Amino acid sequence: MSAAPKPRLVMKFGGTSVSGVERIRTVARLVKRQVELGYDVAVVVSAMSGETNKLVAFTREMSPLHDAREYDAIASTGENVTAGLTAVALDAIGVPARSWAGWQVPIKTDGVHGSASIVEIGVEGIVERFAQGIVAVIAGFQGISPEGRITTLGRGGSDTSAVALAAALGAERCDIYTDVDGVYTTDPRIVDKARKLDKISYEEMLEMASLGAKVLQTRSVEVAMIHKVRTQVLSSFDESSGETLPGTLVCDEDEIMEKRLVTGVAYSRDEAKITLVKVPDRPGVAAAIFSPLADAGINVDMIVQNVSDDGKTTDMTFTTGKADFDRAIKVLTDNAPSIGQERLSTDQNVVKVSVIGVGMRTHAGVAQTMFKTLAEKGINIQVISTSEIKVSVLIAAEYTELAVRALHTAYGLDAA
Ligand code: ASP
Ligand code: MG
């Protein structure tokens, strides 16, 4: 007689959660509890905190122009160590376990070294071990390319390994253990009245992650959203974690009963503003500016075109990430003959502040509240952009804290 299949759980532990022998022993105890609660568990681990940085630094020091395939061969190794150690720690407390490197699973990816995407995961081997009562410990962040080379999934990629594995295993949930106890309405380091959210929708989390909240890798949220993987963020530093749902659950909008207009306030300092002063005001000028930027792989975020006061020329302003700034300037300078700007004016001392919430789809007035709140604080808005569930403004960096705190209060998010 075969036993009924057990529910499956993926538990992911980030770098600070596996940063040494004692921390890994704690991880093993947290896993053991879930095994005792009746789950088949797959554990995904990051490298010890700081380890990947060290490996990347070695690689760059050896040669700035290194082969991307070797970067991956090197950068992926930190996770091999923690996967093995975690399996040993589990065995030591009576929980049978074995470790897998990404290629052994196999976690098949495309060939984009350094930021590969997962294409397919073969879970048969893991499921076979589950049937024998064995916990699977998988090295996060890594996979295997079609050419059979080791790949990595981009910094923070273990989150994506975990969520993709949960999707492939049909797991009940993917629990992401980290050093904070959940997702907050805003950054608790700058707003002491920030509140932990019980639940947040995939879409809101995607905006929060891409707008600067660093708890989850953006791509992992995309994968969770596409495959509807219920993903919980919780702390490995609280050993009572994991009994109920003590963290923040990232889930479908329908699962969230509490209705709110704005769910969170995010900010990103990784912004640079570029203005093309006096470009000809004629059809084709936007294409002349943004096509060469796109061809150079430069991501442009907010865009505004001013009204022309002389009917002949206008100013065009856009933002990009700080890392792309120098290249963007070069592209615009090289293309000046075809664009026709008089000059460029730039500012890297800016921050993008965003309010996010699915409630905006059905309620008006969210943007007004934002503009009014900032006006009352005397903060000048330089650029505005909106989407269905967010409003973002670009302001001077020195007002970051002031703006985020005032908005948090204005939308009723402050903790009591
Ligand atoms: N160890 C990798 C990094 O530091 C992957 C991860 O931790 O998610 O980026
Ligand atoms: Mg991380």
mmCIF file of all heavy atoms in Angstrom, residues 12 156 159 215, ligand 2:
data_model
loop_
_atom_site.group_PDB
_atom_site.id
_atom_site.type_symbol
_atom_site.label_atom_id
_atom_site.label_comp_id
_atom_site.label_asym_id
_atom_site.label_seq_id
_atom_site.Cartn_x
_atom_site.Cartn_y
_atom_site.Cartn_z
ATOM 1 N N LYS A 12 13.826 28.495 0.986
ATOM 2 C CA LYS A 12 15.057 29.114 0.481
ATOM 3 C C LYS A 12 15.721 29.940 1.580
ATOM 4 O O LYS A 12 15.047 30.662 2.311
ATOM 5 C CB LYS A 12 14.735 29.983 -0.733
ATOM 6 C CG LYS A 12 15.951 30.626 -1.375
ATOM 7 C CD LYS A 12 16.109 32.071 -0.986
ATOM 8 C CE LYS A 12 17.445 32.637 -1.452
ATOM 9 N NZ LYS A 12 17.610 34.066 -1.104
ATOM 10 N N GLY A 156 21.446 37.834 -6.718
ATOM 11 C CA GLY A 156 20.181 37.613 -6.004
ATOM 12 C C GLY A 156 19.363 36.487 -6.605
ATOM 13 O O GLY A 156 18.209 36.262 -6.252
ATOM 14 N N ASP A 159 16.696 33.405 -5.257
ATOM 15 C CA ASP A 159 15.250 33.560 -5.093
ATOM 16 C C ASP A 159 14.533 32.946 -6.290
ATOM 17 O O ASP A 159 13.535 32.238 -6.143
ATOM 18 C CB ASP A 159 14.858 35.048 -5.020
ATOM 19 C CG ASP A 159 15.383 35.742 -3.778
ATOM 20 O OD1 ASP A 159 15.681 35.044 -2.789
ATOM 21 O OD2 ASP A 159 15.485 36.986 -3.800
ATOM 22 N N VAL A 215 14.065 42.995 -1.016
ATOM 23 C CA VAL A 215 13.887 41.660 -0.429
ATOM 24 C C VAL A 215 13.871 40.499 -1.396
ATOM 25 O O VAL A 215 14.336 39.423 -1.069
ATOM 26 C CB VAL A 215 12.584 41.510 0.402
ATOM 27 C CG1 VAL A 215 12.861 41.563 1.850
ATOM 28 C CG2 VAL A 215 11.514 42.449 -0.029
HETATM 29 MG MG MG B 2 18.790 37.878 -1.898
#
